[in-house]
Amino acid sequence: MLKPEHIGIAVKELAISIPLFEKLLNSQCYKTELVETEKVNTAFFKAGDTKIELLESIDPNGVIAKFIEKKGEGMHHIAFAVTDIYAEMDRLKNEGFVLLNESPKEGADNKIVCFLHPKGTNGVLIELCQEKL
Ligand code: ZN
Protein backbone atom coordinates (compact mmCIF):
# COMPACT_ATOMS: atom_id res chain seq x y z
CA MET A 1 0.00 0.00 0.00
CA LEU A 2 1.37 3.40 -0.94
CA LYS A 3 1.60 6.01 1.78
CA PRO A 4 1.28 9.75 1.02
CA GLU A 5 4.62 11.46 1.71
CA HIS A 6 3.81 14.99 0.63
CA ILE A 7 1.54 17.14 -1.50
CA GLY A 8 3.19 19.47 -4.01
CA ILE A 9 1.70 22.89 -4.67
CA ALA A 10 2.86 25.18 -7.48
CA VAL A 11 3.22 28.81 -6.39
CA LYS A 12 4.42 31.96 -8.11
CA GLU A 13 6.45 33.29 -5.22
CA LEU A 14 7.77 31.47 -2.20
CA ALA A 15 8.33 34.82 -0.48
CA ILE A 16 4.56 35.28 -0.41
CA SER A 17 3.46 31.66 -0.05
CA ILE A 18 5.81 30.59 2.77
CA PRO A 19 4.31 33.02 5.33
CA LEU A 20 0.83 32.19 3.99
CA PHE A 21 1.26 28.44 4.55
CA GLU A 22 2.94 29.03 7.92
CA LYS A 23 -0.23 30.81 8.99
CA LEU A 24 -2.51 28.23 7.37
CA LEU A 25 -0.77 25.14 8.77
CA ASN A 26 0.30 26.76 12.03
CA SER A 27 3.68 25.18 11.31
CA GLN A 28 7.01 26.78 10.42
CA CYS A 29 8.65 26.09 7.07
CA TYR A 30 11.49 23.76 8.13
CA LYS A 31 13.46 23.65 4.92
CA THR A 32 13.93 25.41 1.61
CA GLU A 33 15.93 23.75 -1.11
CA LEU A 34 16.88 24.59 -4.65
CA VAL A 35 16.56 21.66 -7.06
CA GLU A 36 18.66 22.87 -9.94
CA THR A 37 17.85 19.94 -12.25
CA GLU A 38 14.09 20.59 -11.96
CA LYS A 39 14.46 24.39 -12.07
CA VAL A 40 12.53 24.82 -8.84
CA ASN A 41 12.92 26.28 -5.43
CA THR A 42 11.08 24.22 -2.84
CA ALA A 43 9.82 24.88 0.69
CA PHE A 44 8.66 22.18 3.10
CA PHE A 45 6.15 22.15 5.96
CA LYS A 46 5.09 19.36 8.26
CA ALA A 47 1.35 18.76 8.25
CA GLY A 48 0.37 15.87 10.52
CA ASP A 49 1.79 12.65 9.12
CA THR A 50 2.44 14.22 5.75
CA LYS A 51 4.17 17.30 4.35
CA ILE A 52 3.39 20.17 2.05
CA GLU A 53 5.96 21.05 -0.60
CA LEU A 54 5.69 24.46 -2.26
CA LEU A 55 7.29 24.72 -5.68
CA GLU A 56 8.45 27.99 -7.25
CA SER A 57 9.96 28.08 -10.71
CA ILE A 58 13.41 29.57 -11.18
CA ASP A 59 13.15 29.39 -14.97
CA PRO A 60 10.35 30.79 -17.16
CA ASN A 61 10.61 27.62 -19.30
CA GLY A 62 10.67 25.21 -16.37
CA VAL A 63 7.90 22.68 -15.69
CA ILE A 64 6.43 24.65 -12.78
CA ALA A 65 6.38 27.91 -14.74
CA LYS A 66 4.62 26.11 -17.60
CA PHE A 67 2.14 24.48 -15.21
CA ILE A 68 1.22 27.85 -13.66
CA GLU A 69 0.92 29.43 -17.09
CA LYS A 70 -1.56 26.73 -18.13
CA LYS A 71 -3.50 26.06 -14.94
CA GLY A 72 -2.59 28.78 -12.49
CA GLU A 73 -1.21 28.23 -9.02
CA GLY A 74 -2.43 25.19 -7.13
CA MET A 75 -2.16 21.46 -6.51
CA HIS A 76 0.65 20.07 -8.62
CA HIS A 77 1.29 16.51 -7.44
CA ILE A 78 0.83 13.91 -4.73
CA ALA A 79 3.95 12.04 -3.67
CA PHE A 80 3.94 8.53 -2.23
CA ALA A 81 6.80 7.11 -0.20
CA VAL A 82 8.19 3.81 -1.42
CA THR A 83 10.97 1.68 0.00
CA ASP A 84 12.10 0.17 -3.31
CA ILE A 85 11.48 2.66 -6.11
CA TYR A 86 12.79 0.31 -8.82
CA ALA A 87 10.40 -2.47 -7.80
CA GLU A 88 7.50 0.00 -7.57
CA MET A 89 8.31 1.47 -11.01
CA ASP A 90 8.32 -2.06 -12.46
CA ARG A 91 5.07 -2.94 -10.73
CA LEU A 92 3.28 0.19 -11.96
CA LYS A 93 4.67 -0.15 -15.47
CA ASN A 94 3.36 -3.71 -15.57
CA GLU A 95 -0.02 -2.37 -14.42
CA GLY A 96 -0.05 -0.10 -17.47
CA PHE A 97 0.92 3.22 -15.91
CA VAL A 98 3.20 5.49 -17.92
CA LEU A 99 6.39 6.60 -16.20
CA LEU A 100 7.62 10.09 -17.03
CA ASN A 101 11.19 9.08 -16.27
CA GLU A 102 12.51 5.61 -16.93
CA SER A 103 15.08 5.80 -14.16
CA PRO A 104 14.75 7.57 -10.81
CA LYS A 105 16.05 11.12 -10.65
CA GLU A 106 17.22 13.45 -7.91
CA GLY A 107 14.41 15.13 -6.03
CA ALA A 108 14.25 17.58 -3.14
CA ASP A 109 14.51 16.55 0.51
CA ASN A 110 17.12 13.81 0.03
CA LYS A 111 14.94 11.68 -2.25
CA ILE A 112 15.10 9.89 -5.55
CA VAL A 113 11.87 10.26 -7.46
CA CYS A 114 9.85 9.05 -10.42
CA PHE A 115 6.70 10.64 -11.85
CA LEU A 116 3.70 8.93 -13.44
CA HIS A 117 1.96 10.51 -16.39
CA PRO A 118 -1.24 12.24 -15.19
CA LYS A 119 -3.12 10.98 -18.27
CA GLY A 120 -3.11 7.53 -16.70
CA THR A 121 -4.04 8.67 -13.19
CA ASN A 122 -7.23 10.70 -13.65
CA GLY A 123 -5.29 13.89 -14.20
CA VAL A 124 -3.24 13.77 -11.00
CA LEU A 125 0.51 13.89 -11.34
CA ILE A 126 1.89 11.17 -9.07
CA GLU A 127 5.39 11.15 -7.64
CA LEU A 128 7.05 8.09 -6.15
CA CYS A 129 9.82 8.98 -3.76
CA GLN A 130 12.39 7.01 -1.89
CA GLU A 131 14.68 8.29 0.84
CA LYS A 132 18.30 8.28 -0.34
CA LEU A 133 20.46 6.08 1.84
ZN1 ZN B 1 7.26 16.41 -4.65
Side-chain angles (χ1 to χ4, degrees):
M1 192 188 359
L2 294 184
K3 175 180 175 288
E5 210 279 337
H6 65 266
I7 296 165
I9 298 174
V11 305
K12 284 183 185 161
E13 268 187 73
L14 283 185
I16 292 169
S17 297
I18 288 176
L20 179 75
F21 275 80
E22 284 179 335
K23 268 189 268 180
L24 173 72
L25 301 168
N26 198 18
S27 162
Q28 294 293 306
C29 171
Y30 68 90
K31 180 199 261 190
T32 57
E33 187 183 345
L34 176 66
V35 186
E36 203 94 50
T37 50
E38 297 296 302
K39 311 265 184 249
V40 289
N41 241 327
T42 62
F44 286 89
F45 305 79
K46 296 204 162 78
D49 288 336
T50 187
K51 298 170 192 162
I52 302 288
E53 172 188 36
L54 301 182
L55 305 140
E56 169 199 67
S57 186
I58 55 161
D59 178 337
N61 295 313
V63 286
I64 294 300
K66 292 232 169 89
F67 176 89
I68 290 176
E69 211 176 275
K70 247 170 86 180
K71 302 188 173 174
E73 293 178 294
M75 260 277 305
H76 180 259
H77 64 272
I78 299 179
F80 293 101
V82 298
T83 48
D84 182 346
I85 197 165
Y86 292 94
E88 208 52 44
M89 287 165 70
D90 275 349
R91 183 184 73 82
L92 291 166
K93 219 160 119 178
N94 288 333
E95 295 284 5
F97 294 96
V98 177
L99 308 180
L100 287 179
N101 46 300
E102 284 296 318
S103 52
K105 54 185 184 176
E106 297 280 314
D109 205 25
N110 197 43
K111 305 268 199 302
I112 50 173
V113 302
C114 175
F115 287 93
L116 303 187
H117 201 296
K119 275 189 184 145
T121 53
N122 289 135
V124 182
L125 179 63
I126 302 290
E127 172 187 333
L128 306 173
C129 62
Q130 180 183 335
E131 202 78 37
K132 270 195 278 186
L133 299 174

